Amino acid sequence: MSNHKSLITSHSPLTVASVRPLLTTRTLGRTLHLLNETTSTNAIALALAQEGAEHGTVVTAEVQTAGRGRLGRHWHSPAGENLYCSVILRKIEIELQWRGMCWIPLVSAVAAARAVEAISGLTPALKWPNDLLLGARKLGGVLCESSGLGSKGGFDQHGFVIVGIGINVNTPRDAFPGDLRDIATSLAGETGRQFDRAALLAALLEALEHRYEALLAKQSTGVEEEYRKLCATVGRRVRIELAGGERMEGRADAILEDGSLRIVRDDAHAGVMVEIRAADVVHLR
Ligand code: BT5
């Protein structure tokens, strides 16, 4: 009986009627835009934020025709199966200084992992900075885009961050396109079960609100520690691929106070320590 119910809900579109009763948040999701088809929920959220949309506004879509990853990459976003969600975060101006802001993408990944855990019992590991992994495969990712960065590194009063989160929920593993088939996974692919996306969205907003408020209250050490616990990168040999094409290899050594990754190189520059602020990381064996 409960299986029957979950099959129906997992394939039903996200609607205000299905999501609203599950929300336990105070501010995140107070305004919901649950779209059918769009280019990118981040693009829509960005436009809404520029028009003044309130803190906590959420945009989701059943399908994205131009879902985006970091550095202009593509996010595979088939219809009706997964979660594509963007949240507008404001209130950042004076309260959140530079250090806290660096942690927004990282704690968003923590929130996504905790939401997955709440509905499935599976705890994704995080690959720095913000990939969700099950085993070695990518279950989800986070793309944060911001506007209104002030000269001192904080935000001005109109500043905002869009937290975009994609999580593969009900896509069968063999339905991923060729370039993703060996590197991506979904909750259905891992468990053989279907999951209710409304429940996942509600859990995500609750987890994100909790951690964002901790950052605002400058109780960041707790959320930082939680990130470090879930992060599978520290202690591993990694290859760092910088946006300009430069590569380096070494052992990931620590997540620093500003959220950057420190590595100790073991390539031609063995022993040199490097602090990485933005890059792609490949976990090596
Ligand atoms: C990310 O980028 O991982 C951030 C993805 C954020 C997507 C969400 S969906 C809602 C919101 N609206 C948007 O338009 N975007 C956000 P990055 O680290 O650059 O990873 C991109 C790479 O992941 C691609 O180059 C592929 O290799 C791989 N990839 C693409 N689609 C995938 C998928 N559905 N599952 C797993 N891997 C994927």
Side-chain angles (χ1 to χ4, degrees):
M1 195 59 189
S2 62
N3 261 350
H4 177 62
K5 189 171 170 230
S6 74
L7 270 181
I8 291 171
T9 52
S10 61
H11 286 104
S12 324
L14 291 172
T15 60
V16 173
S18 65
V19 172
R20 177 82 61 213
L22 304 179
L23 290 183
T24 53
T25 45
R26 287 190 301 120
T27 55
L28 300 196
R30 207 157 48 184
T31 303
L32 293 169
H33 297 272
L34 309 178
L35 310 176
N36 184 27
E37 176 176 318
T38 191
T39 50
S40 150
T41 57
N42 263 36
I44 301 297
L46 212 56
L48 287 169
Q50 271 150 1
E51 289 161 14
E54 68 170 348
H55 170 72
T57 297
V58 168
V59 181
T60 67
E62 292 300 306
V63 55
Q64 297 186 116
T65 54
R68 55 202 198 203
R70 294 177 301 143
L71 301 171
R73 287 184 288 230
H74 174 67
W75 187 254
H76 175 62
S77 312
E81 296 173 351
N82 303 322
L83 187 65
Y84 318 117
C85 167
S86 300
V87 184
I88 298 174
L89 298 181
R90 293 190 187 272
K91 305 194 203 170
I92 356 190
E93 60 278 7
I94 312 119
E95 291 144 284
L96 251 197
Q97 290 308 322
W98 178 73
R99 174 174 167 182
M101 277 167 33
C102 299
W103 282 89
I104 292 177
L106 305 179
V107 306
S108 300
V110 170
R114 292 302 186 204
V116 165
E117 185 178 61
I119 68 151
S120 71
L122 301 173
T123 308
L126 303 179
K127 179 163 76 75
W128 186 93
N130 41 31
D131 279 2
L132 277 71
L133 302 182
L134 284 174
R137 290 168 179 262
K138 185 156 167 170
L139 177 76
V142 178
L143 170 67
C144 287
E145 298 181 89
S146 56
S147 167
L149 195 58
S151 55
K152 293 193 191 110
F155 273 79
D156 66 34
Q157 57 179 342
H158 304 296
F160 58 82
V161 178
I162 307 296
V163 177
I165 297 175
I167 301 174
N168 301 322
V169 184
N170 291 322
T171 296
R173 227 196 222 185
D174 59 8
F176 283 105
D179 57 328
L180 296 179
R181 200 156 298 158
D182 295 334
I183 60 170
T185 193
S186 65
L187 290 179
E190 295 297 316
T191 63
R193 287 158 53 207
Q194 299 280 303
F195 291 89
D196 177 3
R197 291 175 301 140
L200 177 60
L201 175 60
L204 174 62
L205 296 179
E206 180 180 342
L208 184 60
E209 179 169 283
H210 181 71
R211 286 162 185 82
Y212 185 58
E213 284 181 356
L215 283 185
L216 285 177
K218 299 203 171 53
Q219 292 161 355
S220 48
T221 38
V223 286
E224 290 168 18
E225 280 318 302
E226 191 181 18
Y227 180 84
R228 289 189 176 97
K229 271 196 202 121
L230 288 174
C231 182
T233 304
V234 172
R236 297 195 61 141
R237 277 205 77 233
V238 293
R239 183 169 65 243
I240 302 294
E241 302 177 352
L242 298 172
E246 194 190 340
R247 294 178 169 212
M248 53 185 85
E249 289 188 4
R251 189 160 298 278
D253 176 51
I255 308 287
L256 304 178
E257 280 202 341
D258 64 356
S260 54
L261 179 71
R262 187 172 67 199
I263 68 156
V264 182
R265 293 179 70 164
D266 61 6
D267 50 16
H269 300 272
V272 174
M273 280 191 176
V274 187
E275 295 177 11
I276 309 290
R277 297 220 14 102
D280 281 317
V281 173
V282 179
H283 287 170
L284 302 173
R285 297 206 178 271

